[in-house]
Amino acid sequence: MASSLLLAAVFVFDLIAFALAVAAEQRRNTASLTEDSAGRKYCEYDSDIATGLGVGSLFILVASQVIIMVVTRCLCCGKAMRPSGSRSWAICLFITSWVTFIIGASCLLAGSVRNAYHTKYRDLMGERAPSCETLRKGVFAAGAAFIVLTGITSELYYVSFSKANNGPPPYARDSGVRMGNL
């Protein structure tokens, strides 16, 4: 049977990662164009807390995925699962959880890197204002959405994996061919 304690721990990790990703989306950088005493324009960025929130969310998401994969031995390093519907579901959910994990981690990593980038360009000629580039809206939100999908699929994968490993034997009697009875 699936461990309720493990499912609760993974759920809490995914919930924290989701909350950090939503907070990163709300606190991403904004920039304003200001002018110094010499009349040159430059970009002034506010706090950079969204980068730390995004990286924290990424690390917690990775920890959650590692916990599930260590317990299930990553589907391939352990005893063979019994043929059943649970095995088919476990394989499909294993693949789905990795795809959603990679997309979610990519969104969080790209959002954190892009949010940390500040243009250092200063208009020396005074003719054009520098472009104050910031992170597009929705990158951390997409990461948060994929965190939820990863959490759901990885927990369902663990439950299906447990059912496939702990179920009854597939055959109740010997199915071998006896040559001595001929």
Side-chain angles (χ1 to χ4, degrees):
M1 263 332 259
S3 169
S4 298
L5 182 62
L6 179 77
L7 289 172
V10 169
F11 176 75
V12 168
F13 274 33
D14 289 333
L15 187 64
I16 293 170
F18 174 77
L20 289 175
V22 169
E25 177 66 29
Q26 296 296 320
R27 299 290 311 246
R28 65 183 196 286
N29 277 345
T30 57
S32 61
L33 195 60
T34 58
E35 206 170 299
D36 63 4
S37 59
R40 293 179 295 192
K41 295 178 182 175
Y42 65 96
C43 296
E44 184 176 352
Y45 292 89
D46 62 351
S47 70
D48 198 23
I49 190 138
T51 300
L53 292 171
V55 170
S57 178
L58 175 66
F59 283 146
I60 293 173
L61 177 65
V62 168
S64 170
Q65 189 77 356
V66 165
I67 289 170
I68 291 287
M69 292 306 144
V70 165
V71 169
T72 61
R73 294 184 194 99
C74 199
L75 189 69
C76 57
C77 300
K79 66 180 185 175
M81 291 187 290
R82 292 178 174 82
S84 65
S86 295
R87 180 177 79 170
S88 300
W89 275 110
I91 292 168
C92 289
L93 289 167
F94 173 79
I95 294 168
T96 306
S97 73
W98 272 105
V99 168
T100 58
F101 169 76
I102 289 170
I103 294 171
S106 300
C107 289
L108 293 172
L109 183 64
S112 296
V113 167
R114 184 69 182 144
N115 192 66
Y117 176 74
H118 302 303
T119 57
K120 302 292 182 197
Y121 176 74
R122 190 180 278 231
D123 184 23
L124 297 177
M125 299 296 189
E127 297 171 7
R128 284 187 331 196
S131 67
C132 299
E133 296 180 9
T134 59
L135 178 67
R136 293 184 77 162
K137 188 175 185 175
V139 176
F140 287 121
F146 279 101
I147 287 171
V148 170
L149 292 175
T150 301
I152 291 169
T153 57
S154 64
E155 288 191 19
L156 288 175
Y157 156 67
Y158 175 65
V159 170
S160 296
F161 180 85
S162 296
K163 282 183 182 178
N165 271 344
N166 297 332
Y171 303 109
R173 56 190 161 95
D174 186 23
S175 61
V177 175
R178 307 242 183 228
M179 298 303 284
N181 293 341
L182 296 176

